[in-house]
Amino acid sequence: MKHIFIFLLIAFIFIGCGEDCYNAPQTIAFKFVNSNDENLITNGTLTAYSVKDENQVGVQLTKTSEDMVILENVGAYNGTKNYTFSSNIKAFNFSIHSSEFKGGCDGYQINKLTFTGIGIDVTDEKGYYKIILQ
């Protein structure tokens, strides 16, 4: 019985990694702070914000328990797409360059984020982008 269970477990693992698997691009998260490194969502300064792509389609945003903003479902394309962030404080543009990859599973990877706008500084922290809005 033990041998059958181990065989089935191994077979399931190999079948589960078959041709029909997909890896979504990594998550993009923004943390908005002021020049004193205070989180602008936490302190109530940043109250309204949205992101739209170059076709004026809204991007779903999720606020985390750490008052960061996650951009949902971006980067699943081959090439560069432009986005606009708008808020009650400031607006800026950014672009995401993604490419398709083939590994154990098909999917997309985000290669580069480029930010443009007056009065913003962006640092790539571990796992999120810290954006200083002044």
Side-chain angles (χ1 to χ4, degrees), residues 11-40:
F12 179 74
I13 289 171
F14 285 113
I15 291 170
C17 294
E19 294 183 26
D20 291 336
C21 70
Y22 173 77
N23 286 331
Q26 71 265 27
T27 301
I28 295 178
F30 294 160
K31 180 179 181 181
F32 298 99
V33 298
N34 61 18
S35 58
N36 295 326
D37 204 33
E38 297 170 322
N39 187 307
L40 296 175

Side-chain angles (χ1 to χ4, degrees), residues 71-89:
L71 284 67
E72 302 287 347
N73 304 316
V74 295
Y77 48 81
N78 214 5
T80 301
K81 200 173 216 182
N82 298 310
Y83 296 88
T84 300
F85 172 85
S86 301
S87 74
N88 60 306
I89 300 174

Side-chain angles (χ1 to χ4, degrees), residues 36-121:
N36 295 326
D37 204 33
E38 297 170 322
N39 187 307
L40 296 175
I41 295 175
T42 303
N43 72 14
T45 304
L46 183 61
T47 57
Y49 48 86
S50 65
V51 174
K52 290 186 178 179
D53 70 12
E54 57 199 18
N55 299 316
Q56 300 304 309
V57 175
V59 173
Q60 181 182 346
L61 304 175
T62 302
K63 187 177 85 161
T64 70
S65 59
E66 295 88 24
D67 286 336
M68 288 194 267
V69 176
I70 295 175
L71 284 67
E72 302 287 347
N73 304 316
V74 295
Y77 48 81
N78 214 5
T80 301
K81 200 173 216 182
N82 298 310
Y83 296 88
T84 300
F85 172 85
S86 301
S87 74
N88 60 306
I89 300 174
K90 189 172 292 284
F92 61 87
N93 297 312
F94 63 98
S95 62
I96 299 174
H97 177 75
S98 300
S99 62
E100 191 173 3
F101 72 91
K102 303 249 184 218
C105 295
D106 292 342
Y108 294 90
Q109 61 188 0
I110 295 175
N111 300 320
K112 183 179 179 183
L113 262 74
T114 305
F115 294 88
T116 55
I118 299 171
I120 66 165
D121 287 322

